[in-house]
Amino acid sequence: MQPIMNADEIMGMLDEVFPQIHADGRVYAIESVGPGEAVLRLSANERHLRPGGTVSGPTMMAMADFAAYVVILAHIGPQALAVTTNLNINFLRKPEQGDLLATCRLLKLGKRLAVVDCAIAGEGQDDMVAHATATYSIPPR
């Protein structure tokens, strides 16, 4: 599966059709887009932390959902109305302070549905802090 949009094209589209993604400032960055895969960075700020100084579960869930959207858009093109139909996440361990990276891979890309696997880990860390799967509905092209 070869991507048809690069990171700059995806972010440009999102800036236009989904500007609220930056409501907390520009905390997300698309690190890379490749065949069947995308990597998203979250630079968490105070709003993303829970008591104890760790990145909150809802923040990691939103990150997984956004990263899934990015890898799907990279491979289907600018389809703003692709929507999440299912998202499942397992929180595996407390993230260390610092940026988180979500590596999402397309497991299936059909005409109407896409299924994505997403591993979230701290930058430079091998152990995942969360693992998610997502299914998206793709509008008719």
Side-chain angles (χ1 to χ4, degrees):
M1 274 181 269
Q2 289 298 320
I4 59 175
M5 292 179 76
N6 65 37
D8 290 336
E9 292 167 332
I10 296 165
M11 196 53 84
M13 179 207 141
L14 292 170
D15 287 344
E16 182 180 321
V17 301
F18 194 40
Q20 62 270 37
I21 197 67
H22 303 301
D24 290 334
R26 200 167 279 274
V27 297
Y28 293 109
I30 302 171
E31 291 288 298
S32 65
V33 172
E37 184 177 280
V39 178
L40 185 79
R41 174 183 297 272
L42 168 69
S43 298
N45 61 37
E46 286 296 316
R47 289 185 55 140
H48 301 111
L49 302 181
R50 55 163 287 144
T54 187
V55 176
S56 71
T59 296
M60 287 187 279
M61 198 164 207
M63 180 188 195
D65 191 28
F66 185 46
Y69 191 51
V70 166
V71 73
I72 292 166
L73 291 177
H75 291 81
I76 67 170
Q79 297 287 325
L81 297 180
V83 295
T84 311
T85 60
N86 185 59
L87 179 65
N88 181 57
I89 191 164
N90 293 296
F91 302 106
L92 305 172
R93 61 186 43 83
K94 178 181 172 180
E96 300 290 327
Q97 288 201 352
D99 290 1
L100 294 179
L101 297 173
T103 302
C104 285
R105 295 173 312 162
L106 283 169
L107 299 177
K108 176 188 176 184
L109 181 59
K111 288 183 180 186
R112 303 287 289 151
L113 290 176
V115 180
V116 175
D117 175 78
C118 188
I120 300 175
E123 182 175 28
Q125 302 292 315
D126 291 329
D127 292 333
M128 284 188 286
V129 297
H131 175 261
T133 56
T135 303
Y136 265 70
S137 176
I138 300 170
R141 299 180 227 182

